[in-house]
């Protein structure tokens, strides 16, 4: 236990102690969630875990070799030294620790219910419904992909058996026992994604004939939007704007305003008569020719446009301010702010970009602040009206946010291994240590309701290796 935690009163009492509690041990070749990811195509994601009753449901992976504090947290695709996953299991463990009970064997992910639907576990093409509070419950539902969203007490998912065959978008009610109630919605292209329109129950997709359709997941109604939409499309955050390709042999991009039913034909400057491509992200349409030599940006919903040199795309919109990302010829990414009335993006000084996200109408940027030491990351906060960068913390990894705005993160203080110190960062950037030998990536850390943080510890002699939980105390009254 670290003296800092006791001295500063960071942890509240849990299970009769103000110390972190070990929920379950881990073998040297086990991890909670993925032990690493593949670079550069994969990015770190939160591990699979969720509260259940007075305990937690956890996903445990077993690998063909021991995981040590110096095992890299990313590998190149095809690296023969990368650990190979040999099995996975979903377990349920009490809130104060103890024996972990296996709930589902051989499943690589799960999803906690958001309403009346059951818990589900997923394999590549199968779904298993279960109740973590009941032993030996649940059943498999075959040839169903892991659901994306819920509609009432049903899931929206796809049915398909191979990448080169048609896929059927379905609404599925999956009981704990008994047959599934699966309602086909539409046949969609197996390669191109199905896009949810905002947080609604409407979905857009391309058919095998490259028709753009909209599906109502409640009623099952399918509406033909455009009979010819090329090989890709994009939807704005609010579902108002759609970009798609028109013309099968020489496609031109069209920008469709669904509220007014007006269309425009944005083209790259100097290539009005040539085929081109477009992408819609962060309410910004990036238009470029097939050589990607010049990009034109169309800002939504105003329709204002810019001609910029280089490769730009939208990231987010904060009020009337746009966040743009630039990619240089040598694939280095950087962020910039485009303020109202300006036609010149203002660069954000963040070092080598690692990650960015929007929360509470603020832009958060994580970047390498010292290229000589890429393990040291800096967290910046940008908020209106002037979006001046504020350094929140340095030397950290991907943070998690508590409800009161404080951050939980791990500092890799020696850069010799992938484990560091779990710290709590207050609004002014002050840090207090909580625990040590904690995996630096957020793959093995997750804050839960009531400000409980669950994380993975791995020490050199495996005395403390396991899954731990700590109760974060509320901010003290002045």
């Amino acid at each position: 236990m670290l003296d800092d935690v006791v001295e500063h009163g960071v942890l509240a009492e849990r299970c009769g102690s103000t110390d972190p509690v070990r929920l379950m041990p881990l073998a040297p070749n086990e991890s909670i969630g993925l032990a690493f990811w593949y670079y550069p195509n994969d990015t770190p994601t939160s591990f699979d875990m969720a509260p259940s009753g007075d305990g937690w449901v956890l996903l445990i992976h077993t690998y063909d070799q021991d995981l040590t504090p110096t095992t890299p947290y990313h590998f190149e695709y095809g690296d023969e030294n990368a650990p190979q996953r040999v099995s996975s299991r979903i377990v349920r463990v009490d809130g104060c620790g103890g024996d972990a009970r296996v709930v589902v064997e051989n499943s690589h992910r799960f999803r906690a219910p958001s309403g009346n639907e059951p818990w589900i576990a997923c394999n590549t093409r199968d779904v298993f419904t279960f109740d973590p509070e009941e032993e030996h419950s649940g059943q498999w539902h075959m040839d169903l992909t892991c659901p994306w969203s819920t509609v009432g007490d049903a899931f929206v998912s796809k049915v398909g058996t191979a990448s080169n065959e048609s896929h059927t978008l379905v609404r599925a009610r999956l009981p704990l026992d008994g047959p599934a109630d699966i309602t086909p919605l539409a046949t969609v292209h197996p390669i191109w994604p199905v896009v949810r329109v905002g947080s609604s129950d409407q979905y857009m997709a391309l058919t095998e004939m490259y028709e753009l359709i909209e599906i109502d997941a409640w009623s099952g109604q399918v509406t033909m939007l455009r009979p010819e939409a090329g090989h890709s499309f994009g939807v704005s955050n609010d579902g108002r704007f759609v970009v798609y390709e028109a013309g099968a042999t020489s496609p031109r991009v069209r920008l469709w305003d669904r509220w007014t039913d007006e269309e425009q034909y944005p083209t790259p400057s100097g290539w009005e008569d040539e085929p081109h491509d477009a992408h819609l992200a962060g309410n910004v349409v990036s238009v470029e020719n097939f050589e990607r030599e010049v990009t034109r940006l169309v800002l939504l919903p105003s329709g204002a446009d810019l001609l910029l040199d280089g490769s730009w795309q939208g990231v987010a919109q904060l009020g009337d301010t746009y966040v743009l990302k630039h990619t240089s010829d040598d694939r280095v990414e950087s962020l910039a702010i485009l303020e109202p009335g300006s036609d010149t993006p203002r660069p954000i000084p963040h070092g080598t970009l690692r990650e960015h996200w929007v929360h509470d109408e603020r832009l958060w940027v994580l970047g390498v602040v010292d290229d000589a030491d890429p393990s040291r990351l800096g967290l910046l906060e940008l908020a209106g009206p002037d979006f001046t960068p504020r350094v929140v913390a340095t030397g950290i990894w991907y943070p998690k946010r508590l409800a009161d705005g404080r951050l939980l993160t791990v500092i890799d203080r020696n850069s010799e291994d992938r484990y560091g110190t779990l710290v709590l960062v207050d609004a002014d950037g002050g840090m207090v240590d909580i625990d040590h030998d904690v995996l630096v990536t957020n793959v093995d850390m997750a804050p839960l309701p009531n400000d409980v943080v669950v994380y993975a510890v791995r020490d050199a002699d495996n005395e403390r290796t396991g899954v731990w939980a700590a109760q974060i105390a509320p901010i003290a009254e002045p």
Side-chain angles (χ1 to χ4, degrees):
M1 183 62 205
L2 302 178
D3 294 337
D4 258 359
V5 181
V6 177
E7 177 185 348
H8 291 84
V10 172
L11 297 187
E13 182 175 320
R14 181 174 185 80
C15 303
S17 172
T18 55
D19 290 350
V21 176
R22 183 157 75 167
L23 300 179
M24 63 174 291
L26 289 174
N29 64 335
E30 291 181 337
S31 72
I32 176 172
L34 295 176
F36 63 92
W37 68 93
Y38 285 107
Y39 182 84
N41 296 324
D42 290 350
T43 55
T45 55
S46 298
F47 61 70
D48 286 290
M49 60 91 56
S52 175
D54 61 352
W56 286 277
V57 175
L58 309 171
L59 176 63
I60 307 297
H61 294 305
T62 303
Y63 291 86
D64 63 353
Q65 57 184 272
D66 288 353
L67 306 170
T68 71
T70 57
T71 301
Y73 49 78
H74 64 75
F75 289 87
E76 300 285 345
Y77 274 106
D79 191 332
E80 296 179 354
N81 295 319
Q84 300 298 311
R85 187 173 56 191
V86 296
S87 66
S88 303
R89 67 188 188 278
I90 299 171
V91 303
R92 199 270 187 193
V93 64
D94 290 337
C96 291
D99 293 334
R101 175 170 54 85
V102 177
V103 179
V104 183
E105 293 275 14
N106 300 319
S107 182
H108 64 267
R109 60 181 295 196
F110 74 86
R111 174 175 174 156
S114 58
N116 297 324
E117 72 275 8
W119 292 69
I120 60 170
C122 305
N123 280 341
T124 304
R125 294 192 185 96
D126 304 321
V127 171
F128 184 82
T129 54
F130 67 97
D131 181 353
E133 301 300 313
E134 298 289 336
E135 293 191 45
H136 312 299
S137 68
Q139 65 172 334
W140 286 103
H141 305 276
M142 304 303 178
D143 293 334
L144 190 67
T145 62
C146 204
W148 309 322
S149 60
T150 58
V151 180
D153 60 350
F155 297 104
V156 177
S157 184
K158 282 197 302 185
V159 172
T161 56
S163 60
N164 61 347
E165 295 180 2
S166 299
H167 286 242
T168 302
L169 191 72
V170 300
R171 183 178 65 243
R173 288 180 174 85
L174 306 177
L176 286 172
D177 49 30
D181 178 9
I182 297 178
T183 302
L185 298 175
T187 301
V188 296
H189 199 287
I191 298 177
W192 307 116
V194 176
V195 177
R196 189 177 188 181
V197 181
S199 58
S200 70
D201 296 321
Q202 307 293 317
Y203 294 79
M204 288 187 187
L206 290 175
T207 69
E208 288 186 304
M209 304 303 294
Y210 301 103
E211 304 157 320
L212 180 63
I213 61 174
E214 184 174 52
I215 307 111
D216 187 311
W218 267 111
S219 66
Q221 179 178 350
V222 176
T223 303
M224 171 74 75
L225 299 179
R226 290 293 184 267
E228 189 176 275
H231 291 72
S232 64
F233 69 98
V235 184
S236 64
N237 297 340
D238 58 5
R240 174 178 176 179
F241 294 94
V242 179
V243 292
Y244 68 98
E245 298 175 4
T249 59
S250 182
R252 271 78 168 175
V253 170
R254 299 190 184 189
L255 174 61
W256 174 30
D257 185 340
R258 300 183 67 200
W259 293 6
T260 64
D261 202 29
E262 296 178 348
E263 288 195 356
Q264 55 178 293
Y265 306 84
T267 59
S269 177
W271 280 276
E272 284 80 1
D273 297 325
E274 297 293 329
H276 55 279
D277 198 3
H279 309 277
L280 197 163
N283 277 1
V284 176
V285 181
S286 303
V287 187
E288 54 193 30
N289 75 329
F290 282 172
E291 286 75 28
R292 301 192 176 187
E293 293 175 303
V294 172
T295 297
R296 174 187 177 191
L297 300 182
V298 180
L299 309 180
L300 303 177
S302 68
D305 57 16
L306 298 172
L307 291 176
L308 300 174
D309 291 333
S311 180
W312 292 85
Q313 68 181 74
V315 169
Q317 183 179 6
L318 297 169
D320 295 329
T321 299
Y322 293 86
V323 183
L324 307 179
K325 182 170 68 174
H326 177 261
T327 304
S328 67
D329 292 340
D330 54 358
R331 310 305 298 170
V332 175
E333 296 180 341
S334 58
L335 294 181
I337 294 290
L338 183 65
E339 295 165 307
S342 173
D343 58 4
T344 304
R346 172 165 57 88
I348 300 172
H350 51 63
T352 304
L353 181 65
R354 283 291 182 84
E355 187 65 83
H356 54 82
W357 64 94
V358 173
H359 182 79
D360 290 341
E361 295 301 314
R362 289 171 167 80
L363 174 67
W364 300 86
V365 181
L366 197 63
V368 176
V369 294
D370 182 1
D371 288 335
D373 188 358
S375 67
R376 299 294 191 264
L377 303 183
L379 179 66
L380 303 179
E381 175 195 39
L382 293 90
D386 57 358
F387 291 93
T388 300
R390 181 179 75 89
V391 178
V392 177
T394 58
I396 70 170
W397 198 252
Y398 296 82
K400 293 287 188 175
R401 175 178 293 275
L402 299 179
D404 58 22
R406 292 178 294 173
L407 302 176
L408 284 162
T409 187
V410 181
I411 298 179
D412 185 12
R413 285 185 166 133
N414 59 26
S415 71
E416 295 176 355
D417 57 44
R418 65 187 199 139
Y419 288 80
T421 304
L422 177 64
V423 299
L424 185 68
V425 184
D426 62 29
D428 297 323
M431 299 184 188
V432 177
D433 295 350
I434 293 177
D435 207 343
H436 51 81
D437 297 324
V438 179
L439 186 68
V440 298
T441 68
N442 73 338
V443 176
D444 286 58
M445 186 183 74
L448 292 169
N450 303 317
D451 290 342
V452 176
V453 58
V454 175
Y455 53 95
V457 167
R458 190 177 304 278
D459 53 355
D461 54 13
N462 285 317
E463 288 186 359
R464 300 183 64 240
T465 296
V467 183
W468 291 71
Q471 177 75 55
I472 308 299
I475 297 176
E477 295 292 336

